[in-house]
Amino acid sequence: MSAEPRINDRIRVPEVRLVGPSGEQVGIVPLAKALELAQEYDLDLVEVAATARPPVCKLMDYGKFKYESAMKAREARKNQAHTVIKEMKLRPKIDPHDYDTKKGHVVRFLKQGDKVKITIMFRGREQSRPELGYRLLQRLAEDVQDLGFIESNPKQDGRNMIMVLGPHKKKTEAMAEARQAQEARKADAKANPGKSQNAAEAEESDEAAESDEAAVPAEEPAEA
């Protein structure tokens, strides 16, 4: 069955409860009279409550109504926040440079309002030293405590140890800030037309590369 309401000649009842174009109650009128009024106003007769007795119909510009409804639905989808869990993998004997790099990814994820699953991977004799992984997870949680909190405490899962960090900032807030920053960059570009096109393209390329790098779980570092 179509979800579209019946309009104009597709309405098949002897009488309707009519609502005017400004929302005023006209009352119960014969269908022929309602259609006549629709023609006078150059509007459509739209059945808005088919199960009522008699059905409720309203005079409106149905094409405009459908367009506005579609735009509202599109905006709602655009602002909809989806919970995303990113993943970052580390080794218990990770070197300082790799640690700083992966911590940077975690910082970006939390700033975006996403949760982060941190996995410590043990190999061989490392499995007998779970305290190494626990200390590393606690260190990371302390380093990013301004942006996130421990949502799931470290726990052993086979050869891995897992912890989940949750962001202090809600996803909707992060999305709103990202849109504001984008609008600010556009305004700055208009205010400073002297900025070279090459520089702008290089800046966009850097941002895209950084985004792609952060979106992919980090590779396992070399054995320390």
Side-chain angles (χ1 to χ4, degrees), residues 75-215:
E75 189 66 22
R77 288 194 300 270
K78 181 179 177 182
N79 294 327
Q80 188 175 8
H82 298 280
T83 300
V84 177
I85 299 181
K86 304 289 187 176
E87 183 174 16
M88 188 61 55
K89 297 181 179 180
L90 297 83
R91 293 292 302 277
K93 296 180 180 180
I94 188 171
D95 67 58
H97 174 73
D98 286 341
Y99 174 81
D100 289 340
T101 298
K102 296 191 176 187
K103 182 181 72 174
H105 294 329
V106 174
V107 166
R108 281 193 290 275
F109 294 149
L110 293 173
K111 284 183 176 180
Q112 293 168 3
D114 295 322
K115 296 181 181 181
V116 189
K117 175 184 175 183
I118 312 296
T119 301
I120 303 295
M121 301 177 298
F122 296 95
R123 294 244 178 117
R125 288 176 297 177
E126 293 175 347
Q127 297 180 61
S128 64
R129 301 289 304 280
E131 69 277 6
L132 295 178
Y134 182 82
R135 285 201 295 265
L136 182 58
L137 291 175
Q138 290 295 320
R139 173 188 172 190
L140 180 59
E142 291 175 3
D143 287 347
V144 299
Q145 61 183 340
D146 291 342
L147 298 171
F149 62 94
I150 298 177
E151 184 173 288
S152 178
N153 288 315
K155 62 180 179 181
Q156 197 76 24
D157 182 16
R159 293 187 299 176
N160 300 329
M161 183 174 288
I162 296 171
M163 177 181 72
V164 177
L165 296 175
H168 292 312
K169 186 183 300 181
K170 293 181 179 180
K171 185 71 173 180
T172 50
E173 296 175 357
M175 291 171 63
E177 289 183 3
R179 284 196 297 271
Q180 290 175 359
Q182 184 178 22
E183 291 172 359
R185 287 194 295 269
K186 290 180 179 179
D188 182 63
K190 290 181 179 179
N192 299 279
K195 184 177 181 180
S196 69
Q197 183 67 27
N198 289 338
E201 291 176 354
E203 190 175 282
E204 291 179 359
S205 177
D206 290 343
E207 289 179 356
E210 183 178 89
S211 177
D212 290 342
E213 181 184 7

Side-chain angles (χ1 to χ4, degrees), residues 4-35:
E4 295 284 333
R6 294 187 296 183
I7 66 172
N8 301 326
D9 294 336
R10 285 185 287 176
I11 301 173
R12 303 293 186 183
V13 291
E15 59 184 14
V16 298
R17 185 179 297 276
L18 186 63
V19 179
S22 299
E24 69 276 14
Q25 296 291 330
V26 178
I28 297 175
V29 300
L31 177 62
K33 177 63 174 178
L35 291 170

